[in-house]
Amino acid sequence: MMNKKVDLVKIFKALSSEKRYHLFKMLYEWYKSSGCTDLESSFDEGIEKCFSKACCCMDLSRSTISYHFKELHNAGLITYTRNGRCFVCKINLEAVEAVRNFLK
């Protein structure tokens, strides 16, 4: 039985935007390169300033990137807390695992 907190429809809808898909993929790659292996780990070193890094890596306005972050968050793909002007993000590995299980 699937975790009630994970809504695959919201996840796929969020990832149906090409820009959001690329943003999530970038965040996930940063997460993987940070060496985190579980849900509780924060990947502060590689992604503490992920919003600013995303603005530098993507040809989008800050408001557009902010909107995409909000949509990824609403879909349950990421969590984030604000620390001043920076965001500390976490990938929701339960959501990633739910997608993997769906595709099996």
Side-chain angles (χ1 to χ4, degrees):
M1 182 141 188
M2 190 178 311
N3 184 338
K4 291 181 182 176
K5 293 180 183 177
V6 177
D7 185 339
L8 288 173
V9 173
K10 285 183 180 181
I11 290 171
F12 288 125
K13 183 177 179 185
L15 294 176
S16 69
S17 160
E18 186 177 353
K19 298 292 185 183
R20 234 179 342 266
Y21 164 76
H22 288 297
L23 178 60
F24 179 74
K25 185 176 177 188
M26 185 171 48
L27 294 172
Y28 189 74
E29 292 299 320
W30 289 342
Y31 165 79
K32 285 187 352 187
S33 70
S34 73
C36 292
T37 58
D38 61 41
L39 289 171
E40 299 304 318
S41 295
S42 170
F43 47 116
D44 296 337
E45 288 180 15
I47 199 165
E48 182 176 43
K49 297 179 181 178
C50 62
F51 182 80
S52 296
K53 285 176 75 172
C55 289
C56 292
C57 294
M58 300 185 80
D59 188 25
L60 299 171
S61 70
R62 294 180 67 82
S63 62
T64 301
I65 290 177
S66 180
Y67 170 75
H68 289 314
F69 266 83
K70 183 185 84 168
E71 291 299 309
L72 292 171
H73 180 263
N74 289 341
L77 287 163
I78 64 170
T79 62
Y80 59 82
T81 54
R82 195 170 197 146
N83 183 7
R85 293 181 62 176
C86 297
F87 290 95
V88 178
C89 295
K90 291 184 185 179
I91 297 294
N92 180 355
L93 294 181
E94 289 179 358
V96 173
E97 191 60 31
V99 172
R100 281 189 187 126
N101 288 336
F102 173 78
L103 296 173
K104 284 183 181 178

